[in-house]
Amino acid sequence: MNLYAGAIGNLPSIPNAQFTADPALQPLIDFQKAGRTVPFMGQLWPDPKVQQAHFTGVQNLFAGKADPAEVLNRMDEAYTQK
C-alpha cells in the first residue's frame, strides 16, 4: 500500500507511521486524520448497473438530456433490476 501510494503521489488508504508523505499532501492528511474522507464512490455502489446509470445520468444532465428526477429514477430502476 505504501509503495503504491508513494508511486502515484498519494496517501495510503489506511494511515500508518511507515509512510512518509509529500508535504504538499498535508491538507489531505489533516482530512484523513479528522475522519473527513470516504472511499472512492465506485467502491460502495451496490452493483455496476447503478454506477453506470449514475455516470450516464450525469452526462445527460450536463447535455440537457435529463433532469435530476429522471436520473434518480433510472438509478432506482438499475438498483431494482436483478
Side-chain angles (χ1 to χ4, degrees), residues 16-79:
N16 64 81
Q18 293 77 36
F19 184 76
T20 303
D22 184 312
L25 296 175
Q26 192 59 50
L28 298 175
I29 295 167
D30 295 340
F31 279 123
Q32 198 176 45
K33 285 181 182 177
R36 295 184 61 199
T37 61
V38 296
F40 181 73
M41 65 180 181
Q43 294 175 317
L44 299 176
W45 287 108
D47 69 43
K49 290 180 183 179
V50 177
Q51 184 180 34
Q52 187 56 51
H54 176 260
F55 290 155
T56 302
V58 169
Q59 290 173 351
N60 286 338
L61 281 171
F62 286 121
K65 296 179 180 179
D67 61 33
E70 290 175 274
V71 174
L72 292 173
N73 284 334
R74 290 180 189 149
M75 290 175 67
D76 283 343
E77 288 171 8
Y79 181 77

